[in-house]
Every structure is written in C-alpha cells, then in structure tokens.
Amino acid sequence: MSGFNTLSHRQQGLLLTGGGALVMSPDALLIKVAGLPDAEILMWRGLLSALGFFLIVVARHRGNTVAAYRRCGWVGIGVALLFSMTTCGFVLGNQYTKGGNVLMILAGAPLIAAGLSWVILKERLPRRTWLAIALCVIGIVLVALDDSGVGSWQGNAFALLAASTLAINFTLCRTRPGIDMSPMLTFAGLIVAIGAGFVEFSSGGLSLPPIDRWLVVVVLCLVIVPLGVTLIQRGPLYLPAAEVGLLLLLEVVVGTLWVWWILGEQPAPLSFVGGALVIGTLLAKGLYERRLERRRYPDFDPSSAT
C-alpha cells in the first residue's frame, strides 16, 4: 500500500477507477456465457455480490465495519438505491436490445455526469476533459456501429436507466467529499436480490443452474463484481464524476474485446478504430495531466493531497 500512497491524489483516483473498469471488463461476456433468465441472473447477482461487498468491507474496516456503514448516512442510502437501478438497467438492457445500443447509450454517462456536476456541484471541467469525452463518445459509437439498430425500446430504456443512475450516483457521492460510499453497495445487492427473488418465486420457484453455469455466476457475482465495483465506487473520492464515468468506457472497450476473443465474434474494422480512439484518448489525457502535475508541483508530497 506504501507504493499507492506515494501517488498523487489524482493518480490514486485514476488507478482505482481504471483498475475497477478493467476488473469489470468480463462482465458482459460472463452474463452471456451464463445464459440465465432475467430474474434468475439478477437474483444471484444481487445476492452473491452483496455477500462479496460485505466481505470486502469487513476485510478493510475490521472492528470499524459498523462505523463505515454509518458514515455513509442518507446519501449512502441514495447511492444504494441508484446502484441497484444501474445493475438492473445494465443486465436487462443487454437482455432486451442489441449490445451496440447499450454501448452507445452507456457512453452518454460521462456527459450526464458532467452536466449534473456543473449544475449541482458547480464543478467546471477543463476543455481537455470535454474534448476527451467527445472523442471517447465517438469511439464508442464506432465500436457499437456494427451492432447498432433500432432494437427494443424496452432495452434502450433500461440502458438509459443504467447510464443515468450511474451518473447521478457519482455526482451524489461528490456531495460528501472524503466519505467512502462503497460499503453501501452491500445494500444495493440486497435490493436487487429481493426484487428479482420475488419475481423468480412468483413465477415458479427457485432452481440452481447447471454446475458449469453456476461456477460462472459465482466467479462473476462473488468475486469480479464486488471487487471491480468497489474500486469504481471509490473513484468520486478522488476525481470529478464526469471523469469517473469517462474511465468506465475502458470497461466497454475491453469488455467488447473479451466477447470477440472468447465467443469468436468477428469485429468490424471500425470497431478497432473506435477502441483505439477511446484507449488512445484516455492514455494521452492521463500522460498530459501527469506532465502538468509534475510542472505545477515538482516537490509534491502525496500525503498532503486532498
């Protein structure tokens, strides 16, 4: 952890959020591989991820676990509700419309977050961030273009729900600077599990999926989702909400590559161009801001960052 503490406040945010996005990148792939009905995948995702989130909180805070939850307050309850809606929107969006539609709608999350932060928090982003958002949105559109189309209006609505609630979530976290809201993800998982479980039981009861699919669900929901989302949810402690959303586009691009590689889907040339544009933009922006940071604070002490 000492190496992490030698980084600047901003670099820590970039590492946490970018790392979380990469951890989450197999998410869409494993949902497809599991191939479970809507309510069933949501119920297991909610229940197992809630357990995973709780174990992470206990491991991080030990004797102060209850205090970690209490610090989140009413804002934390809002975060839990919003992330439960993000989860439902993302999973159901992929179930009811084309993947390209979901990607293009999710690419709007940084723009929504930027607008909310400007109106509510009076956070003004530099021009380079707006430029990066524009370039990344173009890149995501190119990635999704081969799979685009009208799709299902229900699926598009679910994807818009996911993008909007994610942006609101990050903006809400910025209203409580210095407070880690990631413990409340436990309750987000429980909300999803209870809602989906009610639907599942009312339609005929619960049954365990085949062992191979069950293992996929366990790896995804008990390990990947809790670890990746915990890292991402800590992003607003360090970065503006719009920049957290911008880094999440890494998950979209790398996740698409996972699907191509494992499921053998043939990518269109434009998809390669779009993915390269997103990754190149984020890399160039990170290197440029690192250079600015070194110029402005040549004797920077990371322990003094706020």
Side-chain angles (χ1 to χ4, degrees), residues 211-233:
I211 187 64
D212 55 340
R213 295 187 181 185
W214 174 241
L215 290 175
V216 171
V217 171
V218 170
V219 170
L220 172 62
C221 302
L222 186 60
V223 180
I224 292 177
V225 170
L227 178 58
V229 175
T230 296
L231 293 173
I232 292 168
Q233 189 66 54

Side-chain angles (χ1 to χ4, degrees), residues 35-298:
L36 299 181
D38 302 346
E40 190 172 343
I41 185 63
L42 280 172
M43 187 193 68
W44 289 120
R45 186 184 180 100
L47 191 61
L48 292 174
S49 66
L51 175 59
F53 288 131
F54 178 72
L55 292 176
I56 290 174
V57 175
V58 171
R60 288 180 60 209
H61 298 281
R62 300 185 184 277
N64 297 317
T65 296
V66 175
Y69 284 103
R70 293 183 63 182
R71 276 196 297 270
C72 298
W74 288 102
V75 171
I77 295 175
V79 168
L81 290 170
L82 286 165
F83 190 74
S84 67
M85 289 188 282
T86 300
T87 299
C88 292
F90 176 76
V91 173
L92 295 177
N94 277 286
Q95 298 278 58
Y96 284 98
T97 192
K98 295 183 177 182
N101 293 37
V102 177
L103 295 181
M104 285 189 283
I105 293 171
L106 286 178
L111 293 173
I112 298 172
L116 290 172
S117 297
W118 181 66
V119 172
I120 298 173
L121 305 178
K122 309 303 179 184
E123 287 185 345
R124 297 187 180 275
L125 299 175
R127 291 180 181 177
R128 63 180 178 273
T129 299
W130 285 108
L131 176 61
I133 289 174
L135 290 174
C136 286
V137 169
I138 292 171
I140 292 298
V141 169
L142 292 176
V143 169
L145 202 56
D146 190 49
D147 192 27
S148 62
V150 176
S152 162
W153 70 267
Q154 295 99 326
N156 293 338
F158 281 127
L160 181 59
L161 174 68
S164 301
T165 52
L166 190 64
I168 298 170
N169 175 1
F170 293 150
T171 305
L172 187 61
C173 289
R174 295 287 289 180
T175 65
R176 295 288 304 278
I179 303 298
D180 181 8
M181 294 292 170
S182 62
M184 298 305 292
L185 297 171
T186 306
F187 297 104
L190 290 176
I191 292 169
V192 173
I194 291 171
F198 177 80
V199 174
E200 182 73 7
F201 280 107
S202 65
S203 62
L206 174 66
S207 60
L208 286 175
I211 187 64
D212 55 340
R213 295 187 181 185
W214 174 241
L215 290 175
V216 171
V217 171
V218 170
V219 170
L220 172 62
C221 302
L222 186 60
V223 180
I224 292 177
V225 170
L227 178 58
V229 175
T230 296
L231 293 173
I232 292 168
Q233 189 66 54
R234 297 190 67 203
L237 286 170
Y238 303 86
L239 300 170
E243 295 204 42
V244 176
L246 188 62
L247 284 168
L248 288 186
L249 298 183
L250 275 174
E251 178 189 345
V252 175
V253 173
V254 179
T256 303
L257 293 175
W258 276 112
V259 173
W260 290 339
W261 181 37
I262 301 298
L263 300 184
E265 295 182 0
Q266 181 64 38
L270 277 180
S271 298
F272 285 112
V273 175
L277 181 59
V278 171
I279 294 175
T281 297
L282 294 177
L283 180 61
K285 181 175 181 294
L287 291 174
Y288 178 74
E289 288 175 343
R290 171 64 171 160
R291 185 178 179 183
L292 288 180
E293 198 171 57
R294 285 180 173 176
R295 284 183 178 178
R296 292 174 182 172
Y297 311 106

